[in-house]
């Protein structure tokens, strides 16, 4: 099966497994796992922040990051299809006690004029106060679109002027970085808190990080333990993340080229494919999914008329060409 459903389906390479097997470990709840500490320090520095915290999932990294800047009873603003709003099963309300309001944007981005209207300052004990704006880069359900650094800086400026924090859901920030050559530290400078994933395009089996100030990360460490995600000799997983940062970032350009190749085959506009996600409309998306599967190609759906493909580390150009042939026939 050529699996294009997600970039989470990758399996650790032999070299990554060897790095995991060699990892020095300790009890991370005591802060004594040297490999976890090295990963946290490295990722914090990559984004120009003081500290970072290793988490089992990107969802938990988002929970900790958002809760670091939004108190119970306050709100976070985000795009209507944001992962925090759509795909984290209501955790920000159910567990963190905060509310959300959303804006809609065709490519998952931000119109700062719209955002300025939405931001509710502290008006006293009458209205929910906006504590943070959340942006997603790249935007998953909008099709891997990139939020440009210029737009992100406008969000940062607006947030500074209105006294709210910025949360960046950077599950695929690596893809945005490779697609635009924007240094990670510039993205980091626009956010108070970030969540980044090692288990998507970077190919680690598990692992994400919440990134922020030393104080925010200290509070997040307590919250993580409270939620039952204090992990012990987890350096074997952090080692996979370190390996991925060394070896799997620059190669994302290959995934992006593969995505454009697939877009062309499916009659989608390759210029609209910014990173490793391709979405295209088809009157019978479920039919395309079922037929492709019969021909050995697994693809996903994000709506009755929208097919979604992702490229990743476990696909070579031959496999992508074969998948492109199948999809070309099915969608023509
Ligand atoms: C995958 C993803 C996450 C985190 O997902 P987990 O499955 O919990 O690791 C967060 N945000 C975005 C945009 C994602 O695509």
């Amino acid at each position: 099966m050529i699996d294009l459903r997600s970039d989470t389906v990758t399996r650790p390479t032999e070299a990554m497994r060897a790095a995991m097997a060699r990892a020095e470990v300790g009890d991370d709840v005591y802060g004594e796992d040297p490999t976890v500490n090295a990963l946290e320090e490295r990722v914090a520095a990559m984004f120009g922040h003081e500290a970072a915290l290793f988490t089992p999932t990107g969802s938990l990294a988002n929970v900790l990051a958002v809760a670091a800047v939004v108190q119970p009873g306050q709100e976070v603003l985000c795009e209507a299809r944001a992962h925090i709003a759509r795909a984290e099963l209501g955790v920000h309300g159910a567990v963190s006690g905060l509310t959300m309001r959303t804006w809609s944007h065709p490519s998952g981005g931000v119109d700062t004029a719209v955002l300025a209207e939405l931001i509710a300052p502290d008006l006293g004990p009458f209205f929910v106060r906006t504590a943070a704006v959340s942006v997603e880069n790249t935007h998953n359900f909008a099709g891997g679109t990139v939020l440009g650094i210029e737009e992100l800086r406008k969000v940062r400026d607006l947030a500074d002027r209105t006294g709210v924090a910025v949360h960046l859901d950077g599950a695929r920030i690596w893809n945005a970085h490779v697609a635009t050559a924007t240094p990670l530290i510039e993205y980091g400078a626009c956010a108070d808190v970030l969540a980044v994933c090692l288990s998507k395009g970077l190919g680690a089996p598990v692992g994400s990080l919440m990134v922020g100030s030393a104080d925010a990360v200290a509070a997040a460490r307590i919250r993580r333990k409270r939620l039952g995600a204090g992990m012990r000799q987890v350096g074997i997983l952090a080692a996979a993340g370190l390996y991925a940062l060394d070896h799997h970032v620059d190669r994302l350009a290959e995934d992006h080229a593969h995505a454009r190749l697939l877009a062309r085959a499916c009659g989608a506009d390759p210029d609209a494919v910014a990173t490793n996600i391709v979405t295209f409309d088809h009157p019978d998306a479920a039919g395309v999914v079922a037929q492709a599967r019969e021909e050995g190609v697994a693809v996903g759906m994000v709506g009755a008329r929208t097919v979604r493909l992702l490229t990743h580390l476990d696909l070579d150009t031959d496999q992508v060409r074969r998948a492109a042939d199948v999809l070309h026939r099915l969608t023509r």
Side-chain angles (χ1 to χ4, degrees):
M1 189 64 74
I2 300 174
D3 199 342
L4 302 169
R5 289 171 304 164
S6 176
D7 50 6
T8 57
V9 301
T10 56
R11 278 152 302 194
T13 61
E14 284 307 317
M16 182 182 277
R17 287 170 196 254
M20 294 169 76
R22 278 196 304 273
E24 253 189 88
V25 298
D27 189 328
D28 182 52
V29 171
Y30 294 132
E32 291 171 4
D33 189 302
T35 310
V36 172
N37 292 342
L39 175 68
E40 290 176 345
E41 280 164 29
R42 178 167 172 187
V43 171
M46 287 173 104
F47 291 94
H49 281 254
E50 288 172 346
L53 187 70
F54 191 52
T55 62
T57 65
S59 295
L60 184 60
N62 274 336
V63 168
L64 299 176
V66 173
V69 290
V70 185
Q71 302 305 308
Q74 298 181 334
E75 70 179 2
V76 59
L77 306 177
C78 62
E79 207 272 333
R81 291 166 295 172
H83 198 277
I84 64 164
R86 298 284 301 126
E88 293 173 8
L89 306 186
V91 63
H92 300 274
V95 173
S96 302
L98 52 91
T99 62
M100 281 181 186
R101 277 187 301 145
T102 58
W103 71 85
S104 292
H105 188 280
S107 62
V110 195
D111 179 334
T112 38
V114 171
L115 184 57
E117 289 292 312
L118 271 182
I119 291 176
D122 189 353
L123 295 173
F126 311 105
F127 293 98
V128 175
R129 185 187 153 193
T130 307
V133 172
S134 175
V135 291
E136 188 172 309
N137 201 15
T138 66
H139 196 300
N140 183 345
F141 299 129
T145 47
V146 170
L147 183 64
I149 190 70
E150 293 305 329
E151 291 157 278
L152 196 49
R153 287 199 182 112
K154 283 188 209 153
V155 173
R156 175 76 268 170
D157 286 348
L158 178 59
D160 285 342
R161 277 186 275 121
T162 50
V164 306
V166 175
H167 163 251
L168 172 56
D169 180 351
R172 294 190 181 81
I173 193 72
W174 325 103
N175 296 85
H177 159 64
V178 167
T180 62
T182 304
L184 291 170
I185 206 153
E186 292 190 20
Y187 287 125
C190 292
D192 297 279
V193 284
L194 300 88
V196 301
C197 290
L198 305 166
S199 58
K200 301 274 168 87
L202 296 195
V206 178
S208 293
L209 294 104
M210 174 262 185
V211 182
S213 68
D215 285 348
V217 169
R221 197 175 288 280
I222 294 168
R223 257 186 220 110
R224 182 185 67 173
K225 184 74 170 67
R226 183 176 293 138
L227 294 172
M231 300 177 289
R232 303 292 178 173
Q233 287 73 20
V234 76
I236 52 172
L237 298 178
L242 286 166
Y243 181 90
L245 292 174
D246 284 335
H247 300 281
H248 293 169
V249 176
D250 293 341
R251 65 150 304 285
L252 291 170
E254 196 180 312
D255 295 347
H256 299 173
H258 285 161
R260 285 192 296 274
L261 191 157
L262 286 164
R264 229 172 271 122
C266 301
D269 176 8
D271 292 334
V273 176
T275 56
N276 69 326
I277 305 179
V278 181
T279 58
F280 64 88
D281 288 338
H282 191 278
D284 178 19
V288 172
V289 171
Q291 286 173 311
R293 185 165 268 277
E294 271 175 35
E295 301 203 37
V297 179
V299 301
M301 268 167 73
V302 283
R305 273 183 287 277
T306 309
V307 178
R308 188 177 81 144
L309 323 170
L310 279 90
T311 55
H312 53 75
L313 179 64
D314 278 10
L315 299 170
D316 61 29
T317 303
D318 263 4
Q319 290 170 304
V320 172
R321 287 220 178 91
R322 269 192 281 142
D325 285 345
V326 169
L327 292 166
H328 179 66
R329 250 187 303 109
L330 294 180
T331 55
R332 179 166 63 169

